Amino acid sequence: MTDTPSTTRVRTSIADGICTVRAMMRHVMETGNRRDKLTGALIPAHHITEVACEHNGRVVMSCAWGTGIARNPLLSFRFRGARPGDVLTLRWVDNRGATDVTHVTIE
Amino acid sequence: MTMRPPVNRSRRRLLAAWASGMAALPVAGWLFPRAARAAWPKAAFAATTAEGALRELFGGAAIEPSDRVRITLPDVAEDGAVVPLTIETDLEPVRSIVVVSEKNPVPLIARFDFGEDALADTLATRIKLAESENIIVVVQTPERLCTARRYVEVLIGGCS
């Protein structure tokens, strides 16, 4: 499978059939409480709302996020049953409907 | 009789070209699959207190403090905008882990939902803290809700 162009970086490592996933997404994660320094206007909230991580097409972990996740979100977790060559897919969607999809081959 | 403005044909052609171009994209692969997500808990994110958010998520179910939920956070966070958080638990199986803040403008920070193959033993992310406050973590198993909390001193708030 070819890797999809994406702004997300995903690193995987396997030990004893357990895969550790470390993903870094690129997103402003605006809270909606910040003001533009020049105009004083409120900057509207803009944040990732949902993340899903699939292993060979099955969802292993999903997230519901608000504005309390830091800018350029980091996510690290583990799951069982991974083998080298398996495909891991990480998707997110934000509150404006923008999406990002990343496919990586587990090594 | 009303006068209609002349039709802008080049604009129409542009729109048509754009529409056909969009149709040619492999849209299906980019859509966020409905099945992949538990519904985003809107009411819980709208709650203005940590207790309110937990009530929206778990109803009135009892949440018991447990030393099987361990939270790693800095004692002092210099910048509240980026605070590393690690949650560890030996509870199994875990259905979800919820992170709530005591004083953030939006108290509910995140819910993480785990599938059958997931190990919820170690989960890490980075969060924002508005001021010095407690972070409350709830781990949900099929039978119960276990919680732990940890206080973080915040030097510069990260939510404004």
Side-chain angles (χ1 to χ4, degrees):
Chain A
M1 180 174 282
T2 55
D3 288 355
T4 312
S6 159
T7 57
T8 303
R9 284 164 53 186
V10 182
R11 279 211 323 251
T12 57
S13 62
I14 298 189
D16 302 324
I18 293 172
C19 180
T20 301
V21 181
R22 210 176 143 80
M24 175 101 84
M25 290 151 254
R26 185 177 293 184
H27 202 284
V28 291
M29 300 301 283
E30 276 296 343
T31 58
N33 299 322
R34 256 165 31 95
R35 286 185 185 278
D36 185 304
K37 284 198 177 77
L38 291 175
T39 65
L42 272 181
I43 302 168
H46 184 203
H47 62 95
I48 292 175
T49 53
E50 291 165 79
V51 183
C53 192
E54 295 162 24
H55 168 229
N56 288 347
R58 275 180 72 191
V59 176
V60 286
M61 214 270 287
S62 58
C63 316
W65 285 355
T67 52
I69 296 288
R71 179 192 185 90
N72 293 334
L74 182 106
L75 176 66
S76 177
F77 68 98
R78 290 152 37 97
F79 69 93
R80 286 188 201 89
R83 281 177 303 193
D86 287 356
V87 174
L88 190 79
T89 303
L90 196 120
R91 304 169 192 272
W92 60 250
V93 60
D94 72 15
N95 64 327
R96 295 185 188 170
T99 61
D100 185 278
V101 183
T102 312
H103 301 287
V104 292
T105 304
I106 295 171
E107 288 167 9
Chain B
M1 196 175 113
T2 54
M3 293 289 286
R4 295 179 58 181
V7 172
N8 183 337
R9 298 213 177 267
S10 69
R11 181 169 168 270
R12 283 216 166 155
R13 273 199 300 275
L14 198 67
L15 280 172
W18 178 82
S20 63
M22 290 302 281
L25 281 174
V27 169
W30 284 86
L31 288 177
F32 204 78
R34 265 268 150 216
R37 61 203 224 199
W40 194 73
K42 195 175 176 184
F45 277 110
T48 53
T49 62
E51 295 71 26
L54 293 175
R55 208 177 312 120
E56 286 292 343
L57 289 172
F58 302 119
I63 304 176
E64 48 185 298
S66 168
D67 56 8
R68 296 176 72 182
V69 179
R70 286 177 300 280
I71 305 171
T72 306
L73 277 164
D75 293 328
V76 178
E78 288 186 16
D79 181 4
V82 186
V83 184
L85 164 70
T86 302
I87 299 160
E88 291 166 286
T89 182
D90 61 351
L91 292 163
E92 217 178 346
V94 170
R95 274 200 186 144
S96 66
I97 293 180
V98 168
V99 182
V100 179
S101 62
E102 205 175 32
K103 292 180 180 169
N104 278 12
V106 179
L108 177 57
I109 293 178
R111 189 185 69 199
F112 301 88
D113 297 301
F114 297 88
E116 276 171 28
D117 294 332
L119 276 171
D121 62 342
T122 309
L123 175 71
T125 186
R126 295 186 299 212
I127 60 174
K128 291 180 205 161
L129 298 179
E131 54 188 293
S132 297
E133 57 180 321
N134 275 304
I135 286 298
I136 301 150
V137 172
V138 178
V139 175
Q140 181 184 31
T141 72
E143 294 85 30
R144 56 203 186 122
L145 299 167
C146 296
T147 188
R149 63 178 58 207
R150 206 183 142 92
Y151 185 79
V152 183
E153 189 180 333
V154 176
L155 301 185
I156 300 169
C159 287
S160 59

